Amino acid sequence: MSLTPEVARRDFGTEGHLRSRFRFASGAMATAGGQTLSRWRRTFGVVPQARALAALVPGATHVDNKSGFLGRKPHRQHPGVLQLPHVRLPPALTAAAQLLLLDRAVPSVEEKVQTLTNYLWSRHLPVEPEELQRRAVHLEKKILENPDSPQTEDKLREAVLRALRRTTYHWQELRYNEELSLVYMAARLDGGFAAVSRALHEIHTRSPQFQPQTLMDFGSGTGSVAWAAHATWGQSLREYVCVDSSAAMLDLAEKLLKGGSQSGEPYVRGVFFRQFLPVSPKVQFDVVVAAFALSELPSAADRAAVLHTLWRKTSHFLVLVENGTKAGHQLLMDARDLVLKGKEKSPLDPRPGFVFAPCPHELPCPQLMASQPLACSFSQGYHPIPFSWNKKPKEEKFSMVILARGFPEDANRWPRITQPVLRRPRHVHCHLCCPDGHMQHAVITASRHGRDVYRCARASSWGDLLPVTTPPDSPPLPTQGPPES
């Protein structure tokens, strides 16, 4: 939906119109026109050349209100609102975590927690053998171009290996013993619970009629998924299967369920722990979750095999969550495409799959196609476990993909807000991922787009859906890079 220069001038006006419309302080009013315009651009984070692309075409977008979804509710409660308030762990889980860490008395626990947190956040995927071979060939050619290159084959091989060790990311499998499991619990239990709670909240809010009875958590770790699912659906769930290769992690998760001991009554009933995935192809679960687990697999082949298995065992929703980094987002996009393009079908359910969230389409991710690729991530506030170093509320930045069995028309295909919403006097800036697979930086006003669109946008937050529709015969939306800081 590109705009002509005439439309842009009509929408944004001249410098004098900008000064009168936004009424800067008296000192700013005396500033030169160029400085005023530059400051306006910096304030709203708008790229100078993008002003002509920054507004929706009047009349081409409108509130999707065919079913009267607003009713008597205020706009701040429109059905696209998905953000949770600050998440707090169940009191029983908080008490059990504190008790376990106090009983074990891990030395230098605060330092170890910070080290593990930084390591997990900065972790990359392991380099594939094909990529290593390509790098080795390139380095060998580069070394041979040097007149002082090694003369023997053995020396040349050793020089290549030294260069590879120096320039290649060294991925290592984390082996969780009892102490490392406790450190992981102190570092990631609350943040992981918050991210999964936000993902499950999306399903619960958009499909309130869905009441799952069974759930499987692959890479269950401390068992936070079972707690988050119980908090979301309550007594609807009657069976949870937690799968993790680490016996120490499974033991810790079971203790957390029982209040910090081996003999207590479990807070959540119907939870079963396993070290291996169920073998039978007929065993399916209403919800399958893999949170921060795919990135722990050693190769792309292993991830593909696990994903095919998880999808076959999914009867309704497959929830994938990873760190909100470029590496985490890329991993999830690869997983999404692998499932959607794959031929793996359940023997019990022939329905195809589609993206339930966050993408409103199955097209290539526009965030990755941009000239400066960005991670599609979301932020969820939470109250951490009140350890001595953990007092203030925190934010968990994560990426997610929720795949569902069925057809795209089963879900609302509304644009997703992919960055924090900028609320300004009489207009709102929203960065949207749209159903046609493009990104759009929309500047929404009541006078141009209507009171309902404007008030819904103003009440929305990062991660919400904007309940608007675009007619199918409208021109394509412009692709726009991120605003300059």
Side-chain angles (χ1 to χ4, degrees), residues 53-97:
L53 305 177
L56 296 167
V57 176
T61 303
H62 54 85
V63 166
D64 184 4
N65 197 20
K66 295 178 183 177
S67 60
F69 64 78
L70 281 175
R72 297 180 179 274
K73 292 183 179 179
H75 290 83
R76 64 178 178 273
Q77 296 179 13
H78 72 76
V81 172
L82 298 166
Q83 190 61 266
L84 277 171
H86 272 65
V87 171
R88 193 183 298 274
L89 267 67
L93 180 57
T94 299

Side-chain angles (χ1 to χ4, degrees), residues 289-359:
V289 182
F292 310 101
L294 295 179
S295 54
E296 295 297 323
L297 298 176
S299 69
D302 289 312
R303 290 193 294 275
V306 167
L307 276 167
H308 288 319
T309 300
L310 297 181
W311 181 240
R312 284 197 302 269
K313 297 193 175 302
T314 301
S315 63
H316 288 87
F317 292 100
L318 172 60
V319 181
L320 307 176
V321 180
E322 290 292 339
N323 285 337
T325 60
K326 289 182 181 179
H329 174 49
Q330 180 67 66
L331 186 155
L332 292 181
M333 292 299 98
D334 292 342
R336 183 194 77 157
D337 294 342
L338 187 69
V339 170
L340 294 179
K341 297 177 182 177
K343 298 181 180 179
E344 294 292 329
K345 296 186 183 297
S346 165
L348 304 176
D349 193 342
R351 291 179 300 166
F354 69 95
V355 181
F356 182 81
C359 322

Side-chain angles (χ1 to χ4, degrees), residues 260-313:
S261 69
Q262 290 278 24
S263 57
E265 285 294 319
Y267 181 84
V268 180
R269 297 187 177 277
V271 181
F272 303 94
F273 298 97
R274 306 183 54 151
Q275 283 190 278
F276 304 99
L277 285 166
V279 176
S280 172
K282 295 183 179 181
V283 176
Q284 278 195 305
F285 301 86
D286 295 330
V287 180
V288 176
V289 182
F292 310 101
L294 295 179
S295 54
E296 295 297 323
L297 298 176
S299 69
D302 289 312
R303 290 193 294 275
V306 167
L307 276 167
H308 288 319
T309 300
L310 297 181
W311 181 240
R312 284 197 302 269
K313 297 193 175 302

Side-chain angles (χ1 to χ4, degrees), residues 231-248:
T232 302
W233 286 295
Q235 300 303 318
S236 166
L237 281 164
R238 55 179 176 80
E239 181 183 355
Y240 310 75
V241 175
C242 297
V243 181
D244 199 290
S245 60
S246 169

Side-chain angles (χ1 to χ4, degrees), residues 84-139:
L84 277 171
H86 272 65
V87 171
R88 193 183 298 274
L89 267 67
L93 180 57
T94 299
Q98 290 177 304
L99 178 62
L100 285 170
L101 199 64
L102 181 64
D103 285 348
R104 186 64 171 78
V106 179
S108 306
V109 61
E110 181 177 353
E111 181 181 344
K112 291 178 179 178
V113 165
Q114 190 59 53
T115 300
L116 181 61
T117 300
N118 295 340
Y119 175 74
L120 292 173
W121 181 255
S122 61
R123 207 172 190 210
H124 295 280
L125 294 178
V127 180
E128 295 297 318
E130 296 80 4
E131 175 63 16
L132 272 178
Q133 185 178 8
R134 187 192 66 79
R135 293 184 186 183
V137 171
H138 174 73
L139 286 170

